[in-house]
Amino acid sequence: MLVAGLALVLALATILAAWGFELIGGYVPCPLCLKQRIPYYVGIPLAALALWVAAVGRVTTGRLLLFAFALVMAYGCYLGVYQAGAEWGFWTGPTDCAPADTMIRNAGSLLDTLKTTQIASCTDPALRILSLSFAGWNAVVSFVLALVSLLGALCIKSR
């Protein structure tokens, strides 16, 4: 079940990179960026479970889990393409793209709140690497994960 192991490692590396850019690099993720992490949070346990059940001889169950992983990653690809397209101006992005906790609770501290609140835009990429933003790279990685997992689920032979 090499495919499940490869999917697991690549998905883990991708989410760790996202956390690294946020926690170490200081890049503030927008709400849509955070939504793009959900397929990884769902998919990583699916890939780990697929790897484990295949290792204990339940190949058919492993194939089903890999197929589920492929569907989850296809959704992640959709989210990445949506945001990358909005960044390039191909279509409009979400209208509610601001951090959830920007509500002013005390009028006396309005200026302090405005000074400390970081609002990340869903349509302005924070960084481009080889012409792709974080969302663009997520679309590429999610597509590769979905494709490899789907092919793996379809091609694995039962014992």
Side-chain angles (χ1 to χ4, degrees), residues 18-112:
W19 290 341
F21 276 106
E22 178 182 354
L23 300 174
I24 298 168
Y27 290 92
V28 178
C30 70
L32 191 52
C33 295
L34 294 174
K35 285 181 185 175
Q36 289 178 67
R37 295 179 186 185
I38 293 171
Y40 292 94
Y41 298 146
V42 173
I44 288 169
L46 285 173
L49 191 56
L51 183 62
W52 180 72
V53 298
V56 297
R58 310 262 330 212
V59 177
T60 302
T61 305
R63 290 174 71 175
L64 290 173
L65 288 167
L66 264 182
F67 183 72
F69 178 81
L71 289 176
V72 169
M73 290 290 85
Y75 176 67
C77 181
Y78 159 76
L79 289 174
V81 167
Y82 172 65
Q83 183 172 358
E87 290 170 348
W88 285 103
F90 296 146
W91 45 76
T92 57
T95 58
D96 61 345
C97 202
D101 192 28
T102 57
M103 180 181 285
I104 307 300
R105 291 176 183 77
N106 179 354
S109 65
L110 175 63
L111 290 177
D112 290 334

Side-chain angles (χ1 to χ4, degrees), residues 111-159:
L111 290 177
D112 290 334
T113 303
L114 290 174
K115 288 178 188 174
T116 60
T117 300
Q118 293 181 329
I119 298 177
S121 170
C122 291
T123 56
D124 296 325
L127 175 69
R128 289 195 189 273
I129 301 170
L130 300 175
S131 298
L132 289 179
S133 65
F134 292 134
W137 281 111
N138 179 55
V140 169
V141 171
S142 295
F143 177 78
V144 168
L145 283 168
L147 182 64
V148 167
S149 299
L150 181 61
L151 292 173
L154 295 174
C155 296
I156 294 172
K157 294 182 172 55
S158 298
R159 294 181 190 182

